[in-house]
PDB file of all heavy atoms in Angstrom:
ATOM      1  N   MET A 420     -33.201  -3.449-216.003  1.00 93.00           N
ATOM      2  CA  MET A 420     -33.212  -3.395-217.463  1.00 93.00           C
ATOM      3  C   MET A 420     -32.960  -4.796-218.013  1.00 93.00           C
ATOM      4  O   MET A 420     -32.075  -5.504-217.546  1.00 93.00           O
ATOM      5  CB  MET A 420     -32.135  -2.436-217.985  1.00 93.00           C
ATOM      6  CG  MET A 420     -32.392  -0.984-217.655  1.00 93.00           C
ATOM      7  SD  MET A 420     -31.156   0.117-218.412  1.00 93.00           S
ATOM      8  CE  MET A 420     -31.627   0.018-220.132  1.00 93.00           C
ATOM      9  N   HIS A 421     -33.754  -5.163-219.017  1.00 96.00           N
ATOM     10  CA  HIS A 421     -33.564  -6.471-219.654  1.00 96.00           C
ATOM     11  C   HIS A 421     -32.656  -6.318-220.875  1.00 96.00           C
ATOM     12  O   HIS A 421     -32.797  -5.375-221.660  1.00 96.00           O
ATOM     13  CB  HIS A 421     -34.914  -7.046-220.090  1.00 96.00           C
ATOM     14  CG  HIS A 421     -34.776  -8.330-220.840  1.00 96.00           C
ATOM     15  ND1 HIS A 421     -34.259  -9.473-220.264  1.00 96.00           N
ATOM     16  CD2 HIS A 421     -35.061  -8.654-222.137  1.00 96.00           C
ATOM     17  CE1 HIS A 421     -34.238 -10.444-221.165  1.00 96.00           C
ATOM     18  NE2 HIS A 421     -34.711  -9.981-222.304  1.00 96.00           N
ATOM     19  N   CYS A 422     -31.733  -7.255-221.011  1.00 96.00           N
ATOM     20  CA  CYS A 422     -30.818  -7.260-222.153  1.00 96.00           C
ATOM     21  C   CYS A 422     -30.955  -8.601-222.877  1.00 96.00           C
ATOM     22  O   CYS A 422     -30.495  -9.632-222.357  1.00 96.00           O
ATOM     23  CB  CYS A 422     -29.383  -7.047-221.696  1.00 96.00           C
ATOM     24  SG  CYS A 422     -28.170  -7.029-223.047  1.00 96.00           S
ATOM     25  N   PRO A 423     -31.586  -8.641-224.059  1.00 96.00           N
ATOM     26  CA  PRO A 423     -31.716  -9.893-224.801  1.00 96.00           C
ATOM     27  C   PRO A 423     -30.353 -10.464-225.193  1.00 96.00           C
ATOM     28  O   PRO A 423     -29.358  -9.728-225.289  1.00 96.00           O
ATOM     29  CB  PRO A 423     -32.504  -9.482-226.053  1.00 96.00           C
ATOM     30  CG  PRO A 423     -33.149  -8.187-225.709  1.00 96.00           C
ATOM     31  CD  PRO A 423     -32.222  -7.510-224.757  1.00 96.00           C
ATOM     32  N   LYS A 424     -30.316 -11.751-225.449  1.00 97.00           N
ATOM     33  CA  LYS A 424     -29.062 -12.403-225.815  1.00 97.00           C
ATOM     34  C   LYS A 424     -28.467 -11.777-227.078  1.00 97.00           C
ATOM     35  O   LYS A 424     -27.251 -11.567-227.163  1.00 97.00           O
ATOM     36  CB  LYS A 424     -29.288 -13.900-226.031  1.00 97.00           C
ATOM     37  CG  LYS A 424     -28.010 -14.671-226.377  1.00 97.00           C
ATOM     38  CD  LYS A 424     -28.287 -16.154-226.557  1.00 97.00           C
ATOM     39  CE  LYS A 424     -27.011 -16.909-226.907  1.00 97.00           C
ATOM     40  NZ  LYS A 424     -27.260 -18.363-227.103  1.00 97.00           N
ATOM     41  N   THR A 425     -29.316 -11.444-228.033  1.00 96.00           N
ATOM     42  CA  THR A 425     -28.816 -10.878-229.295  1.00 96.00           C
ATOM     43  C   THR A 425     -28.113  -9.534-229.068  1.00 96.00           C
ATOM     44  O   THR A 425     -27.193  -9.184-229.804  1.00 96.00           O
ATOM     45  CB  THR A 425     -29.960 -10.739-230.318  1.00 96.00           C
ATOM     46  OG1 THR A 425     -29.425 -10.325-231.574  1.00 96.00           O
ATOM     47  CG2 THR A 425     -31.013  -9.742-229.870  1.00 96.00           C
ATOM     48  N   TRP A 426     -28.521  -8.783-228.045  1.00 96.00           N
ATOM     49  CA  TRP A 426     -27.827  -7.540-227.692  1.00 96.00           C
ATOM     50  C   TRP A 426     -26.553  -7.850-226.919  1.00 96.00           C
ATOM     51  O   TRP A 426     -25.511  -7.224-227.151  1.00 96.00           O
ATOM     52  CB  TRP A 426     -28.718  -6.645-226.830  1.00 96.00           C
ATOM     53  CG  TRP A 426     -29.876  -6.043-227.547  1.00 96.00           C
ATOM     54  CD1 TRP A 426     -30.237  -6.224-228.864  1.00 96.00           C
ATOM     55  CD2 TRP A 426     -30.844  -5.158-226.986  1.00 96.00           C
ATOM     56  NE1 TRP A 426     -31.368  -5.511-229.151  1.00 96.00           N
ATOM     57  CE2 TRP A 426     -31.772  -4.845-228.020  1.00 96.00           C
ATOM     58  CE3 TRP A 426     -31.044  -4.612-225.727  1.00 96.00           C
ATOM     59  CZ2 TRP A 426     -32.863  -4.000-227.804  1.00 96.00           C
ATOM     60  CZ3 TRP A 426     -32.129  -3.770-225.507  1.00 96.00           C
ATOM     61  CH2 TRP A 426     -33.021  -3.467-226.546  1.00 96.00           C
ATOM     62  N   ALA A 427     -26.644  -8.794-225.994  1.00 97.00           N
ATOM     63  CA  ALA A 427     -25.484  -9.137-225.176  1.00 97.00           C
ATOM     64  C   ALA A 427     -24.318  -9.609-226.036  1.00 97.00           C
ATOM     65  O   ALA A 427     -23.148  -9.353-225.721  1.00 97.00           O
ATOM     66  CB  ALA A 427     -25.858 -10.215-224.167  1.00 97.00           C
ATOM     67  N   GLN A 428     -24.635 -10.261-227.159  1.00 96.00           N
ATOM     68  CA  GLN A 428     -23.589 -10.795-228.036  1.00 96.00           C
ATOM     69  C   GLN A 428     -22.752  -9.703-228.694  1.00 96.00           C
ATOM     70  O   GLN A 428     -21.656  -9.979-229.185  1.00 96.00           O
ATOM     71  CB  GLN A 428     -24.215 -11.678-229.118  1.00 96.00           C
ATOM     72  CG  GLN A 428     -24.716 -13.011-228.584  1.00 96.00           C
ATOM     73  CD  GLN A 428     -25.547 -13.772-229.600  1.00 96.00           C
ATOM     74  OE1 GLN A 428     -26.237 -13.170-230.443  1.00 96.00           O
ATOM     75  NE2 GLN A 428     -25.501 -15.089-229.537  1.00 96.00           N
ATOM     76  N   ILE A 429     -23.238  -8.473-228.697  1.00 95.00           N
ATOM     77  CA  ILE A 429     -22.459  -7.364-229.248  1.00 95.00           C
ATOM     78  C   ILE A 429     -21.178  -7.175-228.437  1.00 95.00           C
ATOM     79  O   ILE A 429     -20.109  -6.930-228.992  1.00 95.00           O
ATOM     80  CB  ILE A 429     -23.288  -6.057-229.246  1.00 95.00           C
ATOM     81  CG1 ILE A 429     -24.546  -6.223-230.118  1.00 95.00           C
ATOM     82  CG2 ILE A 429     -22.448  -4.886-229.735  1.00 95.00           C
ATOM     83  CD1 ILE A 429     -25.530  -5.066-229.992  1.00 95.00           C
ATOM     84  N   ARG A 430     -21.283  -7.319-227.102  1.00 95.00           N
ATOM     85  CA  ARG A 430     -20.117  -7.152-226.213  1.00 95.00           C
ATOM     86  C   ARG A 430     -19.498  -8.476-225.821  1.00 95.00           C
ATOM     87  O   ARG A 430     -18.283  -8.640-225.852  1.00 95.00           O
ATOM     88  CB  ARG A 430     -20.531  -6.421-224.924  1.00 95.00           C
ATOM     89  CG  ARG A 430     -20.851  -4.963-225.093  1.00 95.00           C
ATOM     90  CD  ARG A 430     -20.737  -4.256-223.751  1.00 95.00           C
ATOM     91  NE  ARG A 430     -19.342  -4.083-223.357  1.00 95.00           N
ATOM     92  CZ  ARG A 430     -18.930  -3.932-222.115  1.00 95.00           C
ATOM     93  NH1 ARG A 430     -19.787  -3.969-221.126  1.00 95.00           N
ATOM     94  NH2 ARG A 430     -17.654  -3.753-221.856  1.00 95.00           N
ATOM     95  N   TYR A 431     -20.349  -9.397-225.433  1.00 97.00           N
ATOM     96  CA  TYR A 431     -19.862 -10.681-224.923  1.00 97.00           C
ATOM     97  C   TYR A 431     -19.831 -11.675-226.075  1.00 97.00           C
ATOM     98  O   TYR A 431     -20.864 -12.198-226.496  1.00 97.00           O
ATOM     99  CB  TYR A 431     -20.752 -11.159-223.765  1.00 97.00           C
ATOM    100  CG  TYR A 431     -20.714 -10.196-222.599  1.00 97.00           C
ATOM    101  CD1 TYR A 431     -21.641  -9.152-222.494  1.00 97.00           C
ATOM    102  CD2 TYR A 431     -19.729 -10.292-221.616  1.00 97.00           C
ATOM    103  CE1 TYR A 431     -21.597  -8.246-221.432  1.00 97.00           C
ATOM    104  CE2 TYR A 431     -19.674  -9.385-220.560  1.00 97.00           C
ATOM    105  CZ  TYR A 431     -20.610  -8.385-220.473  1.00 97.00           C
ATOM    106  OH  TYR A 431     -20.558  -7.486-219.437  1.00 97.00           O
ATOM    107  N   ARG A 432     -18.648 -11.939-226.596  1.00 96.00           N
ATOM    108  CA  ARG A 432     -18.493 -12.628-227.869  1.00 96.00           C
ATOM    109  C   ARG A 432     -18.477 -14.155-227.750  1.00 96.00           C
ATOM    110  O   ARG A 432     -18.370 -14.842-228.759  1.00 96.00           O
ATOM    111  CB  ARG A 432     -17.190 -12.169-228.538  1.00 96.00           C
ATOM    112  CG  ARG A 432     -17.029 -10.647-228.649  1.00 96.00           C
ATOM    113  CD  ARG A 432     -17.955 -10.042-229.681  1.00 96.00           C
ATOM    114  NE  ARG A 432     -17.825  -8.592-229.744  1.00 96.00           N
ATOM    115  CZ  ARG A 432     -16.849  -7.933-230.350  1.00 96.00           C
ATOM    116  NH1 ARG A 432     -15.880  -8.602-230.956  1.00 96.00           N
ATOM    117  NH2 ARG A 432     -16.823  -6.611-230.369  1.00 96.00           N
ATOM    118  N   ASN A 433     -18.547 -14.674-226.522  1.00 97.00           N
ATOM    119  CA  ASN A 433     -18.400 -16.123-226.345  1.00 97.00           C
ATOM    120  C   ASN A 433     -19.397 -16.617-225.298  1.00 97.00           C
ATOM    121  O   ASN A 433     -19.016 -17.154-224.260  1.00 97.00           O
ATOM    122  CB  ASN A 433     -16.955 -16.433-225.930  1.00 97.00           C
ATOM    123  CG  ASN A 433     -16.605 -17.895-226.065  1.00 97.00           C
ATOM    124  OD1 ASN A 433     -17.374 -18.693-226.600  1.00 97.00           O
ATOM    125  ND2 ASN A 433     -15.442 -18.274-225.570  1.00 97.00           N
ATOM    126  N   ILE A 434     -20.685 -16.427-225.571  1.00 98.00           N
ATOM    127  CA  ILE A 434     -21.733 -16.774-224.609  1.00 98.00           C
ATOM    128  C   ILE A 434     -21.992 -18.278-224.639  1.00 98.00           C
ATOM    129  O   ILE A 434     -22.424 -18.826-225.646  1.00 98.00           O
ATOM    130  CB  ILE A 434     -23.023 -15.982-224.892  1.00 98.00           C
ATOM    131  CG1 ILE A 434     -22.768 -14.477-224.709  1.00 98.00           C
ATOM    132  CG2 ILE A 434     -24.150 -16.451-223.968  1.00 98.00           C
ATOM    133  CD1 ILE A 434     -23.940 -13.589-225.068  1.00 98.00           C
ATOM    134  N   TYR A 435     -21.735 -18.924-223.510  1.00 98.00           N
ATOM    135  CA  TYR A 435     -21.969 -20.368-223.379  1.00 98.00           C
ATOM    136  C   TYR A 435     -23.389 -20.667-222.918  1.00 98.00           C
ATOM    137  O   TYR A 435     -23.960 -21.697-223.263  1.00 98.00           O
ATOM    138  CB  TYR A 435     -20.979 -20.969-222.367  1.00 98.00           C
ATOM    139  CG  TYR A 435     -19.687 -21.462-222.965  1.00 98.00           C
ATOM    140  CD1 TYR A 435     -18.873 -20.611-223.709  1.00 98.00           C
ATOM    141  CD2 TYR A 435     -19.262 -22.771-222.771  1.00 98.00           C
ATOM    142  CE1 TYR A 435     -17.671 -21.049-224.235  1.00 98.00           C
ATOM    143  CE2 TYR A 435     -18.064 -23.225-223.302  1.00 98.00           C
ATOM    144  CZ  TYR A 435     -17.264 -22.356-224.039  1.00 98.00           C
ATOM    145  OH  TYR A 435     -16.082 -22.801-224.560  1.00 98.00           O
ATOM    146  N   SER A 436     -23.938 -19.779-222.080  1.00 98.00           N
ATOM    147  CA  SER A 436     -25.303 -20.005-221.590  1.00 98.00           C
ATOM    148  C   SER A 436     -25.997 -18.673-221.372  1.00 98.00           C
ATOM    149  O   SER A 436     -25.372 -17.688-220.950  1.00 98.00           O
ATOM    150  CB  SER A 436     -25.294 -20.821-220.293  1.00 98.00           C
ATOM    151  OG  SER A 436     -24.752 -20.072-219.220  1.00 98.00           O
ATOM    152  N   TYR A 437     -27.282 -18.669-221.688  1.00 98.00           N
ATOM    153  CA  TYR A 437     -28.134 -17.504-221.438  1.00 98.00           C
ATOM    154  C   TYR A 437     -29.436 -18.062-220.888  1.00 98.00           C
ATOM    155  O   TYR A 437     -30.136 -18.810-221.575  1.00 98.00           O
ATOM    156  CB  TYR A 437     -28.380 -16.716-222.722  1.00 98.00           C
ATOM    157  CG  TYR A 437     -29.219 -15.468-222.530  1.00 98.00           C
ATOM    158  CD1 TYR A 437     -28.636 -14.209-222.483  1.00 98.00           C
ATOM    159  CD2 TYR A 437     -30.610 -15.551-222.391  1.00 98.00           C
ATOM    160  CE1 TYR A 437     -29.391 -13.067-222.309  1.00 98.00           C
ATOM    161  CE2 TYR A 437     -31.379 -14.412-222.216  1.00 98.00           C
ATOM    162  CZ  TYR A 437     -30.774 -13.173-222.173  1.00 98.00           C
ATOM    163  OH  TYR A 437     -31.530 -12.046-221.991  1.00 98.00           O
ATOM    164  N   THR A 438     -29.755 -17.711-219.641  1.00 98.00           N
ATOM    165  CA  THR A 438     -30.901 -18.317-218.971  1.00 98.00           C
ATOM    166  C   THR A 438     -31.932 -17.271-218.594  1.00 98.00           C
ATOM    167  O   THR A 438     -31.605 -16.284-217.922  1.00 98.00           O
ATOM    168  CB  THR A 438     -30.457 -19.052-217.685  1.00 98.00           C
ATOM    169  OG1 THR A 438     -29.344 -19.901-217.980  1.00 98.00           O
ATOM    170  CG2 THR A 438     -31.595 -19.874-217.120  1.00 98.00           C
ATOM    171  N   PHE A 439     -33.177 -17.494-219.024  1.00 98.00           N
ATOM    172  CA  PHE A 439     -34.292 -16.683-218.521  1.00 98.00           C
ATOM    173  C   PHE A 439     -34.658 -17.246-217.149  1.00 98.00           C
ATOM    174  O   PHE A 439     -35.257 -18.312-217.046  1.00 98.00           O
ATOM    175  CB  PHE A 439     -35.494 -16.755-219.457  1.00 98.00           C
ATOM    176  CG  PHE A 439     -35.326 -15.995-220.734  1.00 98.00           C
ATOM    177  CD1 PHE A 439     -35.125 -16.665-221.934  1.00 98.00           C
ATOM    178  CD2 PHE A 439     -35.379 -14.613-220.756  1.00 98.00           C
ATOM    179  CE1 PHE A 439     -34.980 -15.974-223.129  1.00 98.00           C
ATOM    180  CE2 PHE A 439     -35.227 -13.903-221.945  1.00 98.00           C
ATOM    181  CZ  PHE A 439     -35.031 -14.586-223.125  1.00 98.00           C
ATOM    182  N   MET A 440     -34.284 -16.536-216.098  1.00 98.00           N
ATOM    183  CA  MET A 440     -34.557 -17.027-214.750  1.00 98.00           C
ATOM    184  C   MET A 440     -36.050 -16.873-214.437  1.00 98.00           C
ATOM    185  O   MET A 440     -36.680 -15.892-214.841  1.00 98.00           O
ATOM    186  CB  MET A 440     -33.718 -16.273-213.724  1.00 98.00           C
ATOM    187  CG  MET A 440     -32.217 -16.288-214.014  1.00 98.00           C
ATOM    188  SD  MET A 440     -31.521 -17.945-214.182  1.00 98.00           S
ATOM    189  CE  MET A 440     -31.423 -18.442-212.461  1.00 98.00           C
TER     190      MET A 440
END
Side-chain angles (χ1 to χ4, degrees):
M420 293 185 71
H421 176 64
C422 180
K424 182 179 180 181
T425 186
W426 290 1
Q428 287 170 329
I429 299 171
R430 289 201 74 204
Y431 298 91
R432 308 288 178 78
N433 195 8
I434 297 175
Y435 269 57
S436 69
Y437 182 102
T438 311
F439 287 107
M440 306 304 283

